[in-house]
Amino acid sequence: MPSSHFLYALYILTALLAVVKAAGLPSKIYGVNLGSWLVLEPWMLPQEWLDMGGQQCGDCSTCIASEFAFAKAYPNTVDAIFNKHWSTWFTQTDLDQLKAAGINTVRIPLGYWIVEPLVDRTSEYYPKGGILQLRRGLKQIRDAGIAVILDHHALPGVQSPNQMFTGRCTKDVQFYTPYNYHRALIWSGVMTALSHLDPAFRTVASLQAVNEPIMDANQTPGYGQFQKNFVQVVRAVELALGIPVSGVAPLSVVSSSRNVTAALSAASGLPNLFNSEVRQVLQDMVPVLTKVALQLTLDLNFDQQGLKVELRRKSPLITNFMDVNWQYNNPSNPADAKIGPQTYDNHLYYSFGGVADANEEAYMTHVCNLDRIEKDAALGNTPLWFGEWGLSTQFTASDAFLVKWADAQKYSYSKGAGWILHNPNVCARYIKQ
Ligand SMILES: *[C@@H]1O[C@H](CO)[C@@H](O)[C@H](O)[C@H]1NC(C)=O
């Protein structure tokens, strides 16, 4: 990616910083998002977007300002144009810079359309081929020894109105329906299987269920049950692969199945394995996984060298949700869905307003006394990381303030975990006793 936008990805868009104790992730996360790589948000690369053939408009639903609108407008060239973007936006050079900066974790935002058989091509328009680029990048990230959080960033049916990050700018939000919950669960099952089966996915440690659902829980009916089904699908797929999940008995079908799809089908017929929706997902993901495996030339036979033994030694993925306090109006608590290792994610952008008064003193006082980690922990949402935050402010900030502002955020988000803080005592003056 161009260096100016590299800065966006590294600082302005987001970074992660937290202390986590779970298999597969470093105990202290120093992370970035690979923003706008596989889910392109035009606001992040305005000139490149215009050069690709995109448009800019005040209401992003009224012009070519999302992947959906682009693919609809350019059906014959969209795949080639996006392939060029994917190849150039995240490269080995970028990765080398991340590594040199001490980054040990990346969060990768993904759209549901990366699992291509899930897309209804009669009414949904998205580029094809992203999964091959994901694998290309994952191999490079793995070889750099960096851990990965796969984030379902853009959900089938769209989870939030008029947001570029959902892949489609529309007020017609349809994610919170049985049909689209079901597709999202199939996606989660397929990503779980790939994470454990494809060698390129080896450093994938965590799978995030839904990025930024609507904050008003009255507008997200069924989301609590979806949270439970998400964890159960991840664990059911792992059990079908023969991966031990603490607290859950192993499945006997694994030993008699010759390949992954046979094991999933057999597991889907077990009347006591979670609930009927979870079992239906196992069944419906078989043809989807088969097609994706063909695309990736991934062998699903258990009898290939050592696969069964390797799977028995694997750790389950860390399931990840936006924290309970992301929503209001009596939200469901994702802690109630937990089976095995689980973590929580909060996003904090001061620049959107509503957090603190628009001046340096108010920003510093707020962030240095941040109580989100404690408030979440009181509801069982721990460990918590800050999966998205940024340096942008509602006022013109000096470079000197931005350094202080970055250090203060890192201080509070990591609760003293430390890391390239220019001034570890940056908060001392602001902390209220
Ligand atoms: C998996 O095993 C089943 C049952 O043994 C068989 O019908 C199916 O063709 C196999 N699939 C693959 C991809 O080998």
Side-chain angles (χ1 to χ4, degrees):
M1 65 185 89
S3 59
S4 61
H5 294 119
F6 179 70
L7 281 179
Y8 268 110
L10 185 55
Y11 297 113
I12 309 297
L13 172 62
T14 58
L16 305 156
L17 187 59
V19 185
V20 187
K21 289 195 177 53
L25 283 174
S27 58
K28 295 176 192 174
I29 293 176
Y30 307 131
V32 293
N33 288 263
L34 301 185
S36 261
W37 180 37
L38 292 160
V39 177
L40 196 161
E41 301 180 42
W43 66 269
M44 255 187 261
L45 54 159
Q47 188 56 50
E48 285 88 341
W49 181 247
L50 297 178
D51 295 345
M52 286 168 75
Q55 299 172 336
Q56 270 172 349
C57 46
D59 173 348
C60 64
S61 68
T62 60
C63 72
I64 303 174
S66 67
E67 290 207 22
F68 183 101
F70 192 100
K72 193 171 182 187
Y74 301 106
N76 300 321
T77 52
V78 58
D79 295 349
I81 293 171
F82 268 78
N83 201 49
K84 183 170 170 230
H85 166 74
W86 296 326
S87 308
T88 52
W89 184 253
F90 175 63
T91 66
Q92 185 64 43
T93 309
D94 297 321
L95 190 58
D96 293 344
Q97 289 180 42
L98 295 180
K99 186 80 184 162
I103 293 297
N104 62 22
T105 306
V106 293
R107 176 173 179 259
I108 307 183
L110 299 173
Y112 81 94
W113 57 90
I114 204 163
V115 176
E116 291 171 20
L118 289 176
V119 178
D120 174 0
R121 302 270 167 204
T122 64
S123 60
E124 297 175 333
Y125 310 91
Y126 291 100
K128 296 195 205 87
I131 193 92
L132 297 170
Q133 286 281 350
L134 173 63
R135 184 171 60 177
R136 182 272 297 175
L138 284 175
K139 265 189 205 158
Q140 293 169 298
I141 294 163
R142 175 201 66 191
D143 293 345
I146 289 176
V148 174
I149 299 160
L150 295 179
D151 149 37
H152 204 175
H153 204 74
L155 281 293
V158 175
Q159 81 273 27
S160 189
N162 269 17
Q163 292 284 1
M164 293 175 182
F165 72 73
T166 68
R168 179 184 185 188
C169 278
T170 176
K171 291 186 187 69
D172 185 21
V173 172
Q174 293 293 334
F175 170 58
Y176 308 94
T177 59
Y179 168 65
N180 284 314
Y181 281 142
H182 191 70
R183 288 200 293 173
L185 292 172
I186 294 174
W187 186 97
S188 308
V190 168
M191 281 299 157
T192 301
L194 294 180
S195 296
H196 289 300
L197 293 166
D198 192 317
F201 286 61
R202 192 172 300 140
T203 57
V204 173
S206 180
L207 187 60
Q208 182 166 20
V210 179
N211 175 66
E212 299 196 0
I214 295 176
M215 289 177 158
D216 180 355
N218 288 339
Q219 294 182 47
T220 64
Y223 183 50
Q225 186 59 48
F226 173 79
Q227 291 173 325
K228 290 181 178 158
N229 289 346
F230 169 80
V231 177
Q232 292 177 10
V233 164
V234 171
R235 299 307 175 219
V237 170
E238 292 177 332
L239 291 167
L241 293 176
I243 296 166
V245 179
S246 63
V248 188
L251 301 183
S252 57
V253 296
V254 184
S255 52
S256 52
S257 300
R258 289 175 32 214
N259 60 49
V260 170
T261 54
L264 290 167
S265 298
S268 76
L270 297 174
N272 296 325
L273 184 64
F274 302 121
N275 63 54
S276 60
E277 168 64 356
V278 171
R279 296 194 297 274
Q280 190 65 46
V281 169
L282 294 184
Q283 193 177 317
D284 293 347
M285 72 177 271
V286 166
V288 178
L289 179 63
T290 302
K291 282 185 192 147
V292 174
L294 274 177
Q295 203 179 357
L296 293 171
T297 58
L298 178 65
D299 189 346
L300 296 178
N301 279 302
F302 278 136
D303 60 10
Q304 57 182 306
Q305 265 216 321
L307 180 60
K308 261 196 174 167
V309 176
E310 194 187 317
L311 287 168
R312 267 203 302 276
R313 292 194 190 124
K314 284 206 131 205
S315 302
L317 293 178
I318 300 161
T319 48
N320 178 247
F321 291 96
M322 297 299 297
D323 61 334
V324 58
N325 287 315
W326 176 258
Q327 290 193 298
Y328 60 89
N329 274 338
N330 194 23
S332 53
N333 188 342
D336 296 340
K338 176 180 153 79
I339 304 168
Q342 183 161 298
T343 53
Y344 306 87
D345 181 16
N346 186 256
H347 298 174
L348 184 48
Y349 290 104
Y350 284 73
S351 56
F352 295 154
V355 181
D357 288 347
N359 63 69
E360 295 188 359
E361 186 75 17
Y363 270 39
M364 291 296 290
T365 302
H366 187 277
V367 80
C368 290
N369 295 284
L370 198 69
D371 58 1
R372 291 190 179 197
I373 294 172
E374 293 86 335
K375 279 190 166 156
D376 273 353
L379 294 169
N381 284 210
T382 189
L384 176 76
W385 61 60
F386 286 79
E388 297 191 18
W389 54 280
L391 292 185
S392 46
T393 55
Q394 296 155 288
F395 48 86
T396 307
S398 65
D399 284 355
F401 176 72
L402 288 177
V403 170
K404 200 164 101 163
W405 179 225
D407 283 352
Q409 290 193 74
K410 285 187 279 185
Y411 167 83
S412 283
Y413 302 159
S414 65
K415 276 293 161 190
W419 183 52
I420 59 165
L421 295 180
H422 294 96
N423 175 7
N425 296 320
V426 67
C427 271
R429 172 165 101 66
Y430 299 92
I431 292 172
K432 293 177 183 159
Q433 297 306 318

